[in-house]
Amino acid sequence: MPALIFLVVVTQIPFVVTIGISLFHWIVMYPNDTHFDGFANYVAVLRDPYLRAAIVNTVIMVVTGVLSALVIGTFLALLLNRTFFGRGVVRTLLITPFLIMPMAASLMWKHLIYNPEYGLINGVLKWLGNTFGFDPAQPEWVSGQPKLAVILVLVWTWTPFMMLITLAGLQAQDPEIKEAAMIDGANAFQQFRYLTFKHLRQYLELSTVLGVIYLLNAYDQVFSITQGGPGTATTNLPYQIYVTIFRGYDYGRGAAAGVLVVVFSIIISNFGLKLISSLNNVVPAGGRKK
Amino acid sequence: MRSKTTALLAAAAIGALAMAGCGADTSDDNKGGDDNKGASGGELNVLMVGNPQMKDIESLAEEHFTKETGIKVNFTILPENELRDKVAQDVATQAGQYDVVTVGAYEGSVWTANDWLYNLQDLAEKDTEFDVDDLLPAMKGVLSKDGDLYAIPFYGESAFTMYRADVFEQLGLTMPAEPTWADIESLAAQIEGKVDGVTPVCLRGLPGWGENMAVVGAMIDAFGGTWFDADWNAQMNSEGTSQAIEFYVNLVTKYGEAGASESGFTECLNNFTQGKSAIWFDATSAANTIESPDHSTVAGKVGYADAPREDARSGWVWTWAWAVPKTTKNLDDAWKYIAWASGKEYEKTVGAEVGWTRVPDGKRSSTFEIPEYKQASAAYSEQMQAALNQSNPEDCGVQARPVPGCQYMAFPEFADLGTKVGQELSAAIAGQKTAAEAIAACQVLAEQVSEQKK
C-alpha cells in the first residue's frame, strides 16, 4: 500500500499540477499578472497556427516513423532469427543505433551525414563523380527534405528497438510447431503467414504502442537538426511546447499544450492498438480459433 | 518520453517552487546581507551558463578564490536555455536558491525592468580595486538602468566581418576597412565559382532569436529598419526592415553556404575554420577559435574588418554577466565573488594558467593593454576593440525604439517573436516561401505583440 501511494504521488501529482497550471494565465516574465484563466489557454493553443502545424507534423512523423521502423525491424529480426556465421556481431551492430544517445545521434547525422559541404552523402557523391568523371549533384538534404531528414534519423534510432522485440518474439516461438507444419507440407510463406505472424501479433502490437509513445515525444532530433524549421516544416508538439515555455515564458499555455499531448498520446496509442488487433482478426488463422 | 517527462517534471517543479516561494521570507530586509563571516568563510551558490570560460572559472575558484577569502563556491552549470528558465523560475518565484547567476545582455535588461536584480553600482564604485571605470561603455550600457549597473560583465562580444585574406589576395580583391553590405555583395559576386570548395559568404540561417535573428536583426538596424517604432507599431514590412530581409535572403541564397537554413553559429564556425567560406559576418568571439591552429585550418590567413554598414552599422553587443537576484541573503559575499571573477587579476590568472586566448575578454579596456594578451590576439584584437567601442545598445540603427538593444529588443515577448520570425526567414532561404511572403507573415506576428504592448 505505501508503495502504491508513492507511485500515485510520483506519477500522478505532476500531471495534476500541470493540469492546474494549464488553467492559469502565467507568463513568468510578468510575475504580478498571474491569475486563473479557465480554458483560455486551451482555446489559444488550439487557435495557434504554429501548434496546428505542429500537430500535423507530429502525426506525419509518428505514423511514417513507426511504420517504417516496424517493417524494417521485423524484416531484420526474421533475418537474424536464422543461424549464420557471425550472427552475434551482426546483431550487436544492428542494435548499436538504439544505444547511441539521441542528441549525439542527431548531431552525428546533421554534421557527418547530411551536411551538404562536408557530409558523408555528398562526399560519396563527389567521390563517385570524380572517379567516373561526371558532375555530381550536391543536394541540400535537410533544407530540401526537412521532414524526411528528421524521420530517417527517428527510423534509424527506433528500428533496432522494433527488431529486438520482434526477435524476442521469434525466439519464443516453439520450433516443434514449425516442424509439425513442415511435416504437414506447409511452405515457408505459409508457415510465416499462418504461424509466425500470428505468433508475433502481440509483439508487433507492443512495438507499435511503445513506438508511438516514444516518437510522439521525439525532441532531440528536431532540436538539434532543424530547430523546427525551415518555417514550421519540422516543428512537432514537444518542440512547440519547448518554444512556448522557454522562449515565450508562457507556462500556462505550455502546460495546456502538454495536457493536450498526453490526451493525444492516449488516443493515438489506443487507436494504434485497435488497428493492429483488427488487422490481425481479418487474418483467418487457418480457420481455427485458439 | 524524455521531453514529456521533462515538461511534466518542470511543471511540477514550478508548482513546488511556487508553493515554497509563498512561505519563504521574501522581504527585502536582508539587503546588504550581513552574513559575511569574513575569512572564516560563507557559502555561495553560483548558477552559470556552460560556456568554456565558465568551466575555466570553476576549476580556478578553489585555488584562487576560496583559499583567499574562505568563501566556498558551489557551482551549477547549465546550458543556455535551461539556465534562462531556471533563473527565471528562481527569481520570479522568490525561491532564492542562487546568490549569483549569469545573465545574457537580453535577460539582464528584461529582469532589471522586472526589478529582480540588485543594483550593483554602489558596490562597484566603492571597490577601488575593481575599477568600474575600466569596463567598456558598451558593456555598461547593456547592463545598466538609469546609469546604474545591475550586472557585471564576465566577457563581452560585438560583431565584425571576417574574411579569407589569402583568397582575397589570390583573386586580387580588397576588403574595405569599413565595408557596406553592397560591398559584401559585390565581393561575393567576384568570389563566386572562382575557388573550388569555397562559398563566397557564410551567414547564419538556423531559426532562433539568438541564431539567424542575431545576424538579420543587426542587418535590419543597418538598413534603417526596426522591429517596432517608438510607439510599438510593428515595422516588419516597413521600407528599411523589408529591404534588409530581402537583401539577406538574396545574399544567402545566391552566395551563402549550402544548407544555410540549418546553419547557425557553430556550423558557420566549422565552415569558416575548415576553409569553406570566404566572408563571414558574426560575433567577435569567433576570432580566437579561428586563430587557434588546433581548431582551424585557416589560422593566420584571415583578415578582419568592421561590421558592414548601410545607413548605420550592423553592430551588436552581447555579454554574459554576473547578477545577484534580490532573493539572496549573501550580497556582500556575492560581490566579493563577482569582483574577483570580473577583476583584472582574474584575467591574468587565466592567461597564466589556462592560456591567453582563453581570457574572458571584451569587457575591460585594460585587457587590450596586457602584453601577453596583445601578442596572443594580435590578428584581431584591434578590430574587436573597435567593434565593441562603436556599439551602443541605446543607439542602434537610425530609428527610435521603445526599448534598448541592438539586434534584439529588450522586452519579454521578444524571444518568442524572434524565434518565430527566425522560422519564417529560414523558410525563405530554404526556398519554401518568397521573401515577400515571409515578411508579410513576420508583420502579422509582430502586430500580435504590438497589440499587447500598446
Short mmCIF file of all heavy atoms in Angstrom, two decimals, chain B residues 317-348:
data_model
loop_
_atom_site.label_atom_id
_atom_site.label_comp_id
_atom_site.label_asym_id
_atom_site.label_seq_id
_atom_site.Cartn_x
_atom_site.Cartn_y
_atom_site.Cartn_z
N VAL B 317 25.89 44.04 -29.39
CA VAL B 317 26.59 43.90 -28.11
C VAL B 317 25.99 42.72 -27.40
O VAL B 317 24.78 42.65 -27.22
CB VAL B 317 26.39 45.13 -27.21
CG1 VAL B 317 27.38 45.09 -26.05
CG2 VAL B 317 26.54 46.41 -27.99
N TRP B 318 26.82 41.80 -27.01
CA TRP B 318 26.33 40.70 -26.20
C TRP B 318 27.32 40.47 -25.08
O TRP B 318 28.51 40.73 -25.23
CB TRP B 318 26.16 39.42 -27.02
CG TRP B 318 25.54 38.34 -26.20
CD1 TRP B 318 26.18 37.29 -25.61
CD2 TRP B 318 24.16 38.23 -25.85
NE1 TRP B 318 25.28 36.52 -24.91
CE2 TRP B 318 24.04 37.08 -25.04
CE3 TRP B 318 23.03 38.99 -26.12
CZ2 TRP B 318 22.82 36.67 -24.50
CZ3 TRP B 318 21.81 38.58 -25.59
CH2 TRP B 318 21.72 37.44 -24.79
N THR B 319 26.83 40.04 -23.95
CA THR B 319 27.72 39.74 -22.85
C THR B 319 27.09 38.69 -21.96
O THR B 319 25.88 38.56 -21.91
CB THR B 319 27.98 41.01 -22.01
OG1 THR B 319 28.68 40.64 -20.81
CG2 THR B 319 26.70 41.70 -21.60
N TRP B 320 27.92 37.88 -21.33
CA TRP B 320 27.46 37.07 -20.20
C TRP B 320 27.96 37.78 -18.95
O TRP B 320 29.13 38.13 -18.87
CB TRP B 320 27.97 35.64 -20.30
CG TRP B 320 27.16 34.85 -21.27
CD1 TRP B 320 27.54 34.49 -22.51
CD2 TRP B 320 25.83 34.37 -21.09
NE1 TRP B 320 26.52 33.80 -23.12
CE2 TRP B 320 25.46 33.71 -22.28
CE3 TRP B 320 24.89 34.42 -20.05
CZ2 TRP B 320 24.22 33.11 -22.46
CZ3 TRP B 320 23.67 33.82 -20.22
CH2 TRP B 320 23.32 33.17 -21.41
N ALA B 321 27.05 38.02 -18.05
CA ALA B 321 27.37 38.89 -16.93
C ALA B 321 26.87 38.28 -15.62
O ALA B 321 25.96 37.44 -15.61
CB ALA B 321 26.72 40.25 -17.15
N TRP B 322 27.49 38.72 -14.52
CA TRP B 322 27.09 38.24 -13.19
C TRP B 322 26.00 39.14 -12.63
O TRP B 322 26.15 40.35 -12.61
CB TRP B 322 28.26 38.27 -12.22
CG TRP B 322 29.47 37.55 -12.71
CD1 TRP B 322 30.64 38.13 -13.14
CD2 TRP B 322 29.67 36.14 -12.82
NE1 TRP B 322 31.54 37.16 -13.50
CE2 TRP B 322 30.97 35.93 -13.32
CE3 TRP B 322 28.86 35.04 -12.53
CZ2 TRP B 322 31.49 34.66 -13.55
CZ3 TRP B 322 29.39 33.78 -12.76
CH2 TRP B 322 30.68 33.59 -13.26
N ALA B 323 24.94 38.55 -12.14
CA ALA B 323 23.89 39.34 -11.48
C ALA B 323 23.56 38.69 -10.14
O ALA B 323 23.79 37.50 -9.94
CB ALA B 323 22.66 39.39 -12.36
N VAL B 324 23.04 39.50 -9.24
CA VAL B 324 22.67 38.98 -7.92
C VAL B 324 21.16 39.11 -7.77
O VAL B 324 20.63 40.22 -7.70
CB VAL B 324 23.37 39.78 -6.80
CG1 VAL B 324 23.06 39.16 -5.45
CG2 VAL B 324 24.87 39.83 -7.04
N PRO B 325 20.43 37.99 -7.75
CA PRO B 325 18.97 38.06 -7.58
C PRO B 325 18.62 38.68 -6.23
O PRO B 325 19.33 38.48 -5.26
CB PRO B 325 18.52 36.60 -7.63
CG PRO B 325 19.67 35.83 -8.15
CD PRO B 325 20.90 36.62 -7.85
N LYS B 326 17.52 39.41 -6.20
CA LYS B 326 17.14 40.09 -4.95
C LYS B 326 16.79 39.13 -3.84
O LYS B 326 16.62 39.54 -2.70
CB LYS B 326 15.95 41.01 -5.24
CG LYS B 326 16.37 42.31 -5.87
CD LYS B 326 15.41 43.41 -5.52
CE LYS B 326 16.07 44.75 -5.80
NZ LYS B 326 15.08 45.83 -5.84
N THR B 327 16.64 37.84 -4.18
CA THR B 327 16.26 36.87 -3.16
C THR B 327 17.45 36.40 -2.32
O THR B 327 17.25 35.72 -1.32
CB THR B 327 15.64 35.63 -3.83
OG1 THR B 327 16.48 35.27 -4.93
CG2 THR B 327 14.26 35.92 -4.32
N THR B 328 18.65 36.74 -2.72
CA THR B 328 19.80 36.22 -1.96
C THR B 328 19.96 36.96 -0.63
O THR B 328 19.52 38.09 -0.46
CB THR B 328 21.11 36.35 -2.76
OG1 THR B 328 22.16 35.78 -1.97
CG2 THR B 328 21.44 37.80 -3.03
N LYS B 329 20.63 36.29 0.31
CA LYS B 329 20.92 36.92 1.60
C LYS B 329 22.42 37.16 1.73
O LYS B 329 22.90 37.48 2.79
CB LYS B 329 20.42 36.03 2.73
CG LYS B 329 18.93 35.83 2.69
CD LYS B 329 18.43 35.04 3.89
CE LYS B 329 16.93 34.91 3.86
NZ LYS B 329 16.49 33.70 3.11
N ASN B 330 23.15 36.90 0.67
CA ASN B 330 24.61 36.98 0.74
C ASN B 330 25.18 38.04 -0.20
O ASN B 330 26.14 37.78 -0.91
CB ASN B 330 25.22 35.62 0.38
CG ASN B 330 24.89 34.58 1.40
OD1 ASN B 330 24.95 34.84 2.61
ND2 ASN B 330 24.50 33.42 0.93
N LEU B 331 24.60 39.22 -0.22
CA LEU B 331 25.03 40.21 -1.20
C LEU B 331 26.51 40.53 -1.08
O LEU B 331 27.21 40.62 -2.09
CB LEU B 331 24.19 41.49 -1.05
CG LEU B 331 24.53 42.60 -2.04
CD1 LEU B 331 24.33 42.14 -3.47
CD2 LEU B 331 23.69 43.83 -1.77
N ASP B 332 27.02 40.65 0.12
CA ASP B 332 28.43 41.05 0.27
C ASP B 332 29.38 39.99 -0.26
O ASP B 332 30.33 40.30 -0.98
CB ASP B 332 28.74 41.35 1.75
CG ASP B 332 28.14 42.70 2.15
OD1 ASP B 332 27.78 43.46 1.23
OD2 ASP B 332 28.02 42.95 3.36
N ASP B 333 29.13 38.74 0.12
CA ASP B 333 29.96 37.66 -0.40
C ASP B 333 29.82 37.55 -1.91
O ASP B 333 30.79 37.30 -2.62
CB ASP B 333 29.57 36.32 0.24
CG ASP B 333 30.14 36.18 1.65
OD1 ASP B 333 30.86 37.11 2.06
OD2 ASP B 333 29.86 35.18 2.31
N ALA B 334 28.59 37.73 -2.37
CA ALA B 334 28.34 37.65 -3.80
C ALA B 334 29.18 38.69 -4.53
O ALA B 334 29.80 38.41 -5.55
CB ALA B 334 26.86 37.85 -4.11
N TRP B 335 29.23 39.90 -3.96
CA TRP B 335 30.04 40.94 -4.59
C TRP B 335 31.52 40.57 -4.61
O TRP B 335 32.21 40.77 -5.60
CB TRP B 335 29.84 42.30 -3.93
CG TRP B 335 30.81 43.25 -4.55
CD1 TRP B 335 31.97 43.72 -4.01
CD2 TRP B 335 30.75 43.76 -5.88
NE1 TRP B 335 32.64 44.49 -4.91
CE2 TRP B 335 31.91 44.53 -6.07
CE3 TRP B 335 29.83 43.63 -6.93
CZ2 TRP B 335 32.19 45.18 -7.27
CZ3 TRP B 335 30.10 44.28 -8.12
CH2 TRP B 335 31.27 45.05 -8.29
N LYS B 336 31.99 39.99 -3.49
CA LYS B 336 33.40 39.59 -3.45
C LYS B 336 33.71 38.63 -4.58
O LYS B 336 34.74 38.71 -5.24
CB LYS B 336 33.72 38.90 -2.11
CG LYS B 336 34.04 39.89 -1.01
CD LYS B 336 34.52 39.15 0.22
CE LYS B 336 34.44 40.07 1.43
NZ LYS B 336 34.36 39.31 2.68
N TYR B 337 32.78 37.69 -4.79
CA TYR B 337 32.99 36.71 -5.86
C TYR B 337 33.00 37.40 -7.23
O TYR B 337 33.88 37.17 -8.06
CB TYR B 337 31.89 35.65 -5.80
CG TYR B 337 31.87 34.77 -7.02
CD1 TYR B 337 32.78 33.72 -7.16
CD2 TYR B 337 30.98 35.01 -8.07
CE1 TYR B 337 32.79 32.94 -8.30
CE2 TYR B 337 30.98 34.24 -9.20
CZ TYR B 337 31.89 33.20 -9.31
OH TYR B 337 31.90 32.44 -10.45
N ILE B 338 32.01 38.28 -7.44
CA ILE B 338 31.92 38.96 -8.74
C ILE B 338 33.16 39.81 -9.00
O ILE B 338 33.73 39.80 -10.09
CB ILE B 338 30.64 39.83 -8.80
CG1 ILE B 338 29.41 38.94 -8.76
CG2 ILE B 338 30.64 40.70 -10.04
CD1 ILE B 338 28.11 39.71 -8.64
N ALA B 339 33.60 40.53 -7.95
CA ALA B 339 34.75 41.41 -8.11
C ALA B 339 35.99 40.59 -8.46
O ALA B 339 36.84 41.02 -9.24
CB ALA B 339 34.99 42.20 -6.82
N TRP B 340 36.07 39.38 -7.90
CA TRP B 340 37.20 38.51 -8.24
C TRP B 340 37.07 37.99 -9.68
O TRP B 340 38.01 38.06 -10.47
CB TRP B 340 37.26 37.34 -7.26
CG TRP B 340 38.21 36.25 -7.68
CD1 TRP B 340 39.56 36.31 -7.65
CD2 TRP B 340 37.86 34.98 -8.24
NE1 TRP B 340 40.09 35.14 -8.15
CE2 TRP B 340 39.07 34.29 -8.50
CE3 TRP B 340 36.65 34.33 -8.51
CZ2 TRP B 340 39.10 33.02 -9.05
CZ3 TRP B 340 36.69 33.06 -9.05
CH2 TRP B 340 37.90 32.42 -9.32
N ALA B 341 35.86 37.50 -10.01
CA ALA B 341 35.66 36.83 -11.30
C ALA B 341 35.76 37.80 -12.48
O ALA B 341 36.16 37.41 -13.56
CB ALA B 341 34.31 36.12 -11.32
N SER B 342 35.36 39.04 -12.27
CA SER B 342 35.42 40.00 -13.37
C SER B 342 36.57 40.98 -13.20
O SER B 342 36.64 41.99 -13.90
CB SER B 342 34.10 40.77 -13.48
OG SER B 342 33.12 39.93 -14.02
N GLY B 343 37.46 40.69 -12.25
CA GLY B 343 38.56 41.62 -11.97
C GLY B 343 39.73 41.44 -12.92
O GLY B 343 39.81 40.49 -13.69
N LYS B 344 40.66 42.40 -12.84
CA LYS B 344 41.82 42.35 -13.73
C LYS B 344 42.74 41.18 -13.38
O LYS B 344 43.36 40.59 -14.26
CB LYS B 344 42.62 43.65 -13.59
CG LYS B 344 41.88 44.87 -14.05
CD LYS B 344 42.73 46.10 -13.74
CE LYS B 344 41.96 47.36 -14.04
NZ LYS B 344 42.63 48.55 -13.52
N GLU B 345 42.85 40.90 -12.07
CA GLU B 345 43.74 39.83 -11.65
C GLU B 345 43.29 38.49 -12.21
O GLU B 345 44.10 37.64 -12.58
CB GLU B 345 43.80 39.75 -10.11
CG GLU B 345 44.76 40.73 -9.48
CD GLU B 345 46.17 40.64 -10.08
OE1 GLU B 345 46.71 39.51 -10.15
OE2 GLU B 345 46.71 41.70 -10.50
N TYR B 346 41.97 38.31 -12.27
CA TYR B 346 41.45 37.03 -12.74
C TYR B 346 41.88 36.77 -14.18
O TYR B 346 42.27 35.66 -14.55
CB TYR B 346 39.92 36.96 -12.61
CG TYR B 346 39.38 35.67 -13.17
CD1 TYR B 346 39.53 34.47 -12.47
CD2 TYR B 346 38.75 35.63 -14.41
CE1 TYR B 346 39.08 33.27 -13.00
CE2 TYR B 346 38.30 34.43 -14.95
CZ TYR B 346 38.47 33.26 -14.24
OH TYR B 346 38.03 32.08 -14.77
N GLU B 347 41.82 37.81 -15.00
CA GLU B 347 42.23 37.64 -16.40
C GLU B 347 43.66 37.18 -16.49
O GLU B 347 44.01 36.32 -17.31
CB GLU B 347 42.06 38.97 -17.15
CG GLU B 347 40.60 39.36 -17.29
CD GLU B 347 40.43 40.61 -18.13
OE1 GLU B 347 41.43 41.32 -18.34
OE2 GLU B 347 39.30 40.87 -18.56
N LYS B 348 44.52 37.74 -15.61
CA LYS B 348 45.93 37.35 -15.63
C LYS B 348 46.08 35.90 -15.16
O LYS B 348 46.91 35.16 -15.68
CB LYS B 348 46.76 38.29 -14.78
CG LYS B 348 46.87 39.65 -15.45
CD LYS B 348 47.66 40.64 -14.62
CE LYS B 348 47.56 42.02 -15.26
NZ LYS B 348 47.70 43.10 -14.27
#
